[in-house]
Amino acid sequence: RKSVKEKARLRLREFDVGDKFSRLPLPKASVLLPLMVRKGKLHLLLTVRSMQLRRSPGQVCFPGGKSEAIDKDEIDTALREAKEEVGLQPEKVEVICRLVPGIDKMNHLVTPVVGFIEDTFQAIPNPDEVSNVFVVPLEYFIKPLNYKTLPYKTSSGYFSRMHCFTYDDHEHKKSFEIWGLTAHFAVFLALVIFGKRPTFEVDYDLDNLISSSENNFMNLYASLHEREKSNL
């Protein structure tokens, strides 16, 4: 019987996009999707943005941020940001893959980098950037207890649905709202690893998840490109 980790690794490697989208002419950002195994189940580490931040204060997100000149690639960016935000040392992350990117509201190309960390990791949040760190079972993102969907139009006029999860964390005795690009990446990660149909609608052909996720992204990128042309 393959371990939970080994099964996840094999699935994730099938979905690794490498640097396939790295040359698109958009400003770059990366996030780290830190996976850990607790009590035989996969969990995902998330952070809450500090209330002092100008952009999206108090929102749930993954450790990450904009690419800097010193970063070799998207993996470097994600690891550097995770170290700055929660004190996660790069050598403590087993990087598995890069998944299909997303585009945030500032039109950054955001690459999700997936890596395993030890379940013993104790986050040291940088208070200027992070107010809280918590862990959610990955399965919650295909079988949530508290979920709603919001239709939304991207800045380029592309219609999509936004996943919104409410997670009751018994450890912190708090509820966390997880939505937007963070929820989008978490859902895709869960679909990739579990290969199961979620209890809610998604914008993918689940029988052709690789091609359908890449097509969705390229349609989103194309709609952004069209709008930029029409603004010239």
Side-chain angles (χ1 to χ4, degrees):
R1 193 178 77 79
K2 286 200 188 82
S3 74
V4 170
K5 221 176 196 175
E6 188 50 35
K7 276 191 189 143
R9 264 194 213 104
L10 291 170
R11 288 280 300 173
L12 286 163
R13 290 202 176 114
E14 285 177 45
F15 285 80
D16 187 5
V17 299
D19 60 3
K20 185 171 183 174
F21 300 99
S22 305
R23 284 173 287 284
L24 292 176
L26 290 174
K28 308 280 187 286
S30 286
V31 290
L32 182 66
L33 278 50
L35 281 169
M36 61 174 80
V37 180
R38 275 193 177 169
K39 297 182 179 158
K41 287 196 152 85
L42 290 169
H43 287 69
L44 199 49
L45 180 132
L46 290 143
T47 68
V48 181
R49 289 170 65 83
S50 159
M51 290 310 284
Q52 303 158 28
L53 291 170
R54 267 205 329 266
R55 217 161 54 78
S56 312
Q59 280 187 16
V60 170
C61 64
F62 290 110
K66 286 191 284 223
S67 154
E68 290 182 8
I70 51 168
D71 302 333
K72 283 201 309 288
D73 57 16
E74 295 96 344
I75 294 172
D76 255 22
T77 304
L79 294 176
R80 176 183 52 73
E81 287 281 346
K83 183 182 175 184
E84 287 171 16
E85 291 180 12
V86 296
L88 178 60
Q89 299 301 324
E91 64 276 9
K92 297 279 188 201
V93 184
E94 181 203 346
V95 174
I96 308 293
C97 68
R98 285 172 272 192
L99 296 176
V100 174
I103 297 173
D104 70 7
K105 31 183 198 290
M106 314 291 289
N107 292 339
H108 287 91
L109 180 76
V110 185
T111 300
V113 175
V114 186
F116 275 106
I117 63 172
E118 288 302 321
D119 70 324
T120 51
F121 168 66
Q122 293 290 321
I124 305 161
N126 169 352
D128 295 336
E129 298 193 47
V130 173
S131 65
N132 220 325
V133 177
F134 65 106
V135 169
V136 181
L138 183 62
E139 205 172 32
Y140 197 81
F141 296 106
I142 51 169
K143 287 205 318 211
L145 295 172
N146 195 336
Y147 170 87
K148 62 177 190 276
T149 181
L150 299 175
Y152 84 110
K153 197 163 87 167
T154 66
S155 56
S156 56
Y158 185 74
F159 277 96
S160 187
R161 68 179 99 223
M162 191 183 285
H163 305 293
C164 305
F165 298 87
T166 303
Y167 178 68
D168 295 327
D169 184 355
H170 302 301
E171 197 184 331
H172 291 86
K173 304 204 171 20
K174 256 190 188 164
S175 287
F176 295 104
E177 299 284 334
I178 307 162
W179 57 283
L181 201 53
T182 302
H184 168 82
F185 287 150
V187 167
F188 186 64
L189 180 67
L191 291 174
V192 165
I193 290 179
F194 297 121
K196 284 192 220 158
R197 290 193 175 270
T199 56
F200 50 88
E201 292 290 315
V202 286
D203 293 325
Y204 300 112
D205 170 358
L206 294 173
D207 299 319
N208 300 290
L209 191 51
I210 293 179
S211 56
S212 120
S213 60
E214 294 192 1
N215 290 343
N216 281 7
F217 170 72
M218 288 313 295
N219 289 340
L220 175 64
Y221 174 69
S223 70
L224 179 74
H225 210 58
E226 278 305 305
R227 191 191 54 133
E228 296 203 329
K229 279 205 311 228
S230 66
N231 284 352
L232 293 173

